[in-house]
Amino acid sequence: MKKALFGLLLYLPLALPALATETKQLLQDGYYLQAMQQARQALQQLPADDSAGRLRAQIDLANAMMERHQADQAELIFKALLQDSRQVPPSSLIEAEVQEGLAGVYLDRQQSKAAAKLYRRILSIRQQHLGAQHLDVAQTLNDLGVALGMQDQMSESEKLLKQALEIREQLAGHDSFPVAESLYNLSFNHMAPGQYQQAEPMMIEAIRIKQHVLRPDHPSLTRSMRMLGWLYRKQKRFDEAMAQLQATLAMTQRNGEDSLDQTGRTLRAIADCLQDQGKAMEAEQYYRQALVVLPQALGAKHYAVGQTMNNLGWLLKTNLHSSEGQQLITEGQRIMDAAENQN
């Protein structure tokens, strides 16, 4: 009886902090909607004077919002936290974490220059506190490399991504999610200039590792699978591309709201592949489905929505639906230009 009572006494004060642990795990597992709900629950239950617990819950809530592409709400939370120097002291590790979330918001909006500026600050803070050989430092090197790759600064991007991979290999081991993400990003960098033979083995290895360490329909895994389908398409391996993309679509649809953006992007990728094969009517159907899903997931002004409009517009214009096609081209280009001009 004493043992049972002692166990209960230990459990009671840990109940609220456990919410933070559970929220972090939900984020890692790709259950973003549940993570949002859990973070909100923590904020409702935590006492007003538990500043550390409430700070953690706010960061988790903003990160979950960011993963669900609710960038405006996430940005408000991150910026409000940064204005409170008592909770988030300048040049502290907690400042680096909050700035990392804000930089992620900028990346989601294609604002890579703003993101890169923040990542350089985060890198300086983390190296100062943690040294060069730390997984958080590797994360920042990786993220900075991604941001620079979006600006076509491929040489520096590749250098940073390889530095991150080396640290991750040493500290986390090859068959780890951080290594898989590094391989994915390096593979993506090789795709941009058309180096598909170099990109393919890295993407396949990233998928193999993610299949080993993540749940079967994790959003990060489905994103990698979609990109492998895109790679096959660019090599004109259309049968392999369609098989890969259809399998990815089935996975994203099983994952529901947490992969709504991946569902939309995969629908667009299938449409692109069909268009490349001259299957205009089938491609049009997939583009239109994508234009239903993507605005729900990302908002009507997101770059990916504009890109899909543009692609459908050119398909229609090429096939003599010139009025609607031109309208979609114009609107899609306007959305893409507005996203790029925010840099």
Side-chain angles (χ1 to χ4, degrees):
M1 182 69 177
K2 274 187 179 181
K3 186 174 181 182
L5 180 59
F6 182 65
L8 180 61
L9 290 172
L10 279 177
Y11 177 77
L12 287 175
L14 289 175
L16 289 177
L19 284 177
T21 303
E22 291 170 13
T23 304
K24 183 177 181 181
Q25 191 62 53
L26 287 168
L27 284 168
Q28 291 176 350
D29 290 343
Y31 294 114
Y32 305 129
L33 181 59
Q34 290 182 48
M36 281 179 58
Q37 295 167 342
Q38 193 85 287
R40 286 197 171 107
Q41 181 185 353
L43 285 170
Q44 290 172 356
Q45 294 184 16
L46 286 165
D49 60 356
D50 186 356
S51 57
R54 295 185 68 81
L55 173 62
R56 180 73 264 155
Q58 288 179 83
I59 294 172
D60 288 342
L61 176 59
N63 281 327
M65 287 175 167
M66 182 180 66
E67 293 291 354
R68 288 181 54 76
H69 304 285
Q70 298 178 15
D72 291 346
Q73 298 96 311
E75 181 181 20
L76 289 173
I77 295 174
F78 288 132
K79 285 187 172 180
L81 291 174
L82 288 168
Q83 289 174 0
D84 187 348
S85 60
R86 291 177 300 174
Q87 281 200 96
V88 183
S91 300
S92 65
L93 286 174
I94 194 68
E95 191 220 324
E97 183 178 0
V98 177
Q99 294 279 23
E100 182 179 52
L102 184 58
V105 168
Y106 293 149
L107 277 190
D108 185 68
R109 293 174 176 161
Q110 307 290 315
Q111 296 172 256
S112 55
K113 291 181 181 178
K117 183 178 179 180
L118 287 186
Y119 285 133
R120 291 192 190 278
R121 174 169 174 77
I122 296 161
L123 183 60
S124 175
I125 294 171
R126 285 180 167 167
Q127 287 176 331
Q128 180 182 354
H129 286 276
L130 304 172
Q133 295 295 114
H134 195 281
L135 284 174
D136 287 350
V137 172
Q139 179 68 54
T140 313
L141 289 167
N142 175 84
D143 294 342
L144 179 56
V146 170
L148 293 177
M150 291 171 68
Q151 299 172 53
D152 293 325
Q153 299 182 35
M154 306 310 292
S155 179
E156 186 177 0
S157 173
E158 177 115 352
K159 178 182 176 182
L160 292 167
L161 291 173
K162 285 182 175 178
Q163 287 179 20
L165 176 60
E166 184 178 347
I167 296 170
R168 288 169 160 179
E169 290 268 15
Q170 292 175 0
L171 299 182
H174 182 76
D175 282 347
S176 65
F177 177 71
V179 166
E181 277 294 270
S182 284
L183 290 170
Y184 170 87
N185 290 322
L186 281 164
S187 175
F188 192 85
N189 266 23
H190 283 286
M191 290 184 198
Q195 299 169 345
Y196 303 126
Q197 290 186 342
Q198 296 94 317
E200 183 177 349
M202 287 188 285
M203 187 63 73
I204 289 173
E205 180 64 2
I207 291 171
R208 184 196 68 78
I209 295 171
K210 289 182 180 184
Q211 287 173 329
H212 179 67
V213 301
L214 300 177
R215 65 183 173 93
D217 51 0
H218 193 288
S220 178
L221 174 58
T222 57
R223 182 178 70 245
S224 300
M225 291 181 63
R226 175 174 58 83
M227 291 311 302
L228 181 59
W230 184 90
L231 190 153
Y232 289 152
R233 169 205 157 209
K234 296 301 288 186
Q235 297 178 82
K236 303 189 184 303
R237 294 157 60 179
F238 295 124
D239 289 345
E240 292 170 272
M242 288 298 295
Q244 183 73 27
L245 292 170
Q246 292 288 2
T248 304
L249 181 62
M251 291 171 64
T252 64
Q253 290 173 331
R254 283 200 304 270
N255 200 25
E257 287 193 41
D258 287 324
S259 279
L260 198 61
D261 65 316
Q262 290 301 317
T263 297
R265 293 174 194 268
T266 306
L267 287 166
R268 187 188 69 204
I270 292 171
D272 290 340
C273 193
L274 289 167
Q275 184 174 7
D276 285 355
Q277 298 173 73
K279 299 178 180 180
M281 292 181 63
E282 293 176 67
E284 180 182 349
Q285 292 176 359
Y286 278 98
Y287 279 134
R288 293 194 186 278
Q289 289 179 52
L291 283 174
V292 172
V293 175
L294 284 173
Q296 294 178 42
L298 304 173
K301 298 180 181 179
H302 196 278
Y303 186 92
V305 174
Q307 189 176 40
T308 307
M309 282 185 177
N310 194 270
N311 289 4
L312 174 58
W314 281 109
L315 174 71
L316 295 177
K317 188 171 183 178
T318 302
N319 289 276
L320 303 180
H321 301 286
S322 57
S323 178
E324 184 187 4
Q326 187 58 56
Q327 184 178 357
L328 286 166
I329 291 168
T330 301
E331 179 62 13
Q333 193 62 53
R334 186 191 65 78
I335 293 171
M336 289 191 290
D337 289 345
E340 290 178 339
N341 288 337
Q342 289 178 338
N343 269 312

